[in-house]
Amino acid sequence: MKSLLILGGSGFVGKAILDSFLNKKIIKFKVDKLIIVSRNPNILKKEFDIKNNKNISLKKIDLFKTTKLPLADYIIHAAEKTANNTKGEKLFVKYHELTKKICNFYSKNKKIKFLYLSSGAVYGKMFYKKKTKESDKLNFKSLKNQKKKYSKNKIKSEKYLLKKFNKDNIIIARLFTFIGRYLPRNGSYAIGNFLNSIEKSKAIIIKSKNSKKTYRSFLFSDDLVNCLMILLVNKNNSKTPIYNVGSEEHISIYSLTKNISKDYNLLIENKEKVTSNLLDYYVPNIQKLKKNYKNIKFTNIQDSIIKSVN
């Protein structure tokens, strides 16, 4: 049996993995020990019943300050902040330096498998309906403000990791958009706010710049964990260890709102200010993932919403 270490485990991905571990959904990957590093592990203690679980180890560590990190067979680096909860380019640069530090600690260890959580944002804006492939041009310059800085630093981190790690020891997962029980309810993600509306039986608020031309796909959290574990435990047969991770089932924010309103009998409060007629299509092509790793299953959007609501 193997051990799994999550660096930065108190966010959405960390919670999704912990939930899957507790419900024995990743036992099939022969992982029986989970180590979670976080500056605030109390967040997890409050949400999960793990007090007497000897197979779970929570470690309160400030990754910026520590000189020692835990070892494990599989490591997921989820400690970089997202564009939506980070302000200022200096902080993005700081997290890139953290990734370099983590990389330098683990890269010489040939016995571990290291998975870095990057982002589909590195491809930039898509103004036409074309699912993004890993081979497509990286275009952070097409983004604005925080997302541009975030994407730029993700690309820098990817390049550094690929340079330092042996090809057989590194996997880069470019994550797209997700849904699940632990997705923040009051934030900048439309789907999080929609889930909040369902749970509180209140009107759905549309704030998109153009909901009819904004398309997203939503990978359910259990499916996300399954994909990440498949990438970790299996050998990479591709020339490059970079994979898109997301759902190919796309839907416009407008249609998603209408569907939720109908399914849950909720009113729609339209606060939308159409400021662009350009298509905003953020959907991955995951044929590389499907080709290299067979029998990967995905939950449809409707069922994902049902399973995400508390």
Side-chain angles (χ1 to χ4, degrees):
M1 299 297 278
K2 303 287 187 177
S3 57
L4 170 64
L5 166 65
I6 309 171
L7 301 173
S10 57
F12 172 70
V13 175
K15 290 177 181 178
I17 293 173
L18 177 54
D19 181 79
S20 290
F21 185 86
L22 288 169
N23 288 291
K24 302 186 183 303
K25 293 177 182 177
I26 61 175
I27 193 69
K28 62 184 178 182
F29 297 107
K30 296 182 179 179
V31 170
D32 66 342
K33 184 176 181 181
L34 182 63
I35 308 164
I36 299 178
V37 167
S38 172
R39 280 188 290 184
N40 191 3
N42 287 331
I43 292 174
L44 301 176
K45 291 178 182 178
K46 290 178 181 178
E47 292 191 43
F48 298 90
D49 183 16
I50 54 179
K51 187 175 181 181
N52 298 315
N53 196 317
K54 296 180 180 180
N55 294 320
I56 298 174
S57 176
L58 299 184
K59 295 185 179 294
K60 185 177 182 180
I61 297 175
D62 186 332
L63 292 171
F64 289 101
K65 297 178 181 179
T66 188
T67 57
K68 186 177 181 181
L69 290 169
L71 290 174
D73 299 291
Y74 306 119
I75 299 169
I76 296 179
H77 174 18
E80 287 189 351
K81 295 294 184 181
T82 68
N84 295 307
N85 62 13
T86 308
K87 294 184 179 180
E89 186 170 10
K90 289 184 179 179
L91 196 53
F92 284 124
V93 173
K94 182 179 178 182
Y95 275 97
H96 170 63
E97 292 300 317
L98 173 63
T99 294
K100 288 171 64 176
K101 174 183 176 180
I102 292 169
C103 170
N104 293 337
F105 184 86
Y106 290 114
S107 60
K108 294 181 181 179
N109 190 328
K110 306 303 180 184
K111 295 182 179 181
I112 62 104
K113 189 79 170 287
F114 189 95
L115 191 153
Y116 171 64
L117 301 186
S118 186
S119 170
V122 299
Y123 299 111
K125 285 279 189 179
M126 280 293 171
F127 300 116
Y128 47 92
K129 281 189 180 181
K130 176 181 175 294
K131 294 175 182 177
T132 307
K133 294 181 180 179
E134 291 87 349
S135 58
D136 286 349
K137 182 180 179 181
L138 305 184
N139 186 23
F140 66 86
K141 293 181 180 179
S142 66
L143 300 170
K144 294 182 180 180
N145 305 323
Q146 293 300 103
K147 287 188 177 180
K148 180 177 181 178
K149 299 167 186 175
Y150 166 76
S151 176
K152 178 181 177 181
N153 277 283
K154 281 292 185 185
I155 293 172
K156 286 172 62 180
S157 291
E158 283 189 15
K159 290 180 177 179
Y160 189 85
L161 291 164
L162 290 172
K163 181 180 178 181
K164 292 291 184 178
F165 270 97
N166 182 291
K167 176 180 173 291
D168 294 329
N169 297 96
I170 180 72
I171 285 288
I172 292 173
R174 290 176 177 162
L175 307 185
F176 279 71
T177 315
F178 304 98
I179 183 172
R181 291 177 291 277
Y182 304 105
L183 192 74
R185 296 303 196 250
N186 294 302
S188 56
Y189 298 106
I191 188 63
N193 287 292
F194 293 171
L195 294 177
N196 186 55
S197 293
I198 294 171
E199 291 169 347
K200 295 185 177 180
S201 299
K202 65 179 186 179
I204 307 170
I205 300 175
I206 303 179
K207 297 180 180 179
S208 174
K209 294 179 181 179
N210 192 333
S211 62
K212 291 183 179 180
K213 291 191 174 183
T214 301
Y215 288 82
R216 295 292 183 267
S217 65
F218 302 96
L219 183 65
F220 183 53
S221 55
D222 286 357
D223 300 333
L224 165 63
V225 175
N226 190 56
C227 286
L228 295 182
M229 293 306 303
I230 286 172
L231 288 171
L232 270 174
V233 305
N234 290 285
K235 183 179 180 180
N236 169 50
N237 295 315
S238 173
K239 291 182 180 179
T240 59
I242 300 174
Y243 290 85
N244 288 338
V245 177
S247 169
E248 290 185 310
E249 182 192 0
H250 68 266
I251 187 170
S252 71
I253 296 300
Y254 177 81
S255 295
L256 178 62
T257 307
K258 289 288 186 179
N259 291 349
I260 292 175
S261 172
K262 180 181 177 180
D263 290 343
Y264 293 92
N265 194 28
L266 298 175
L267 298 175
I268 297 174
E269 187 177 338
N270 196 335
K271 293 186 178 181
E272 182 174 34
K273 294 181 180 180
V274 178
T275 58
S276 174
N277 286 317
L278 294 173
L279 190 74
D280 179 0
Y281 192 75
Y282 189 60
V283 181
N285 179 312
I286 56 170
Q287 291 309 302
K288 180 180 176 182
L289 180 67
K290 288 181 176 180
K291 180 180 178 180
N292 282 271
Y293 307 104
K294 307 295 183 182
N295 301 319
I296 297 178
K297 297 181 180 180
F298 299 94
T299 309
N300 64 45
I301 294 175
Q302 186 176 29
D303 287 343
S304 294
I305 292 172
I306 293 171
K307 291 180 179 180
S308 299
V309 176
N310 294 319

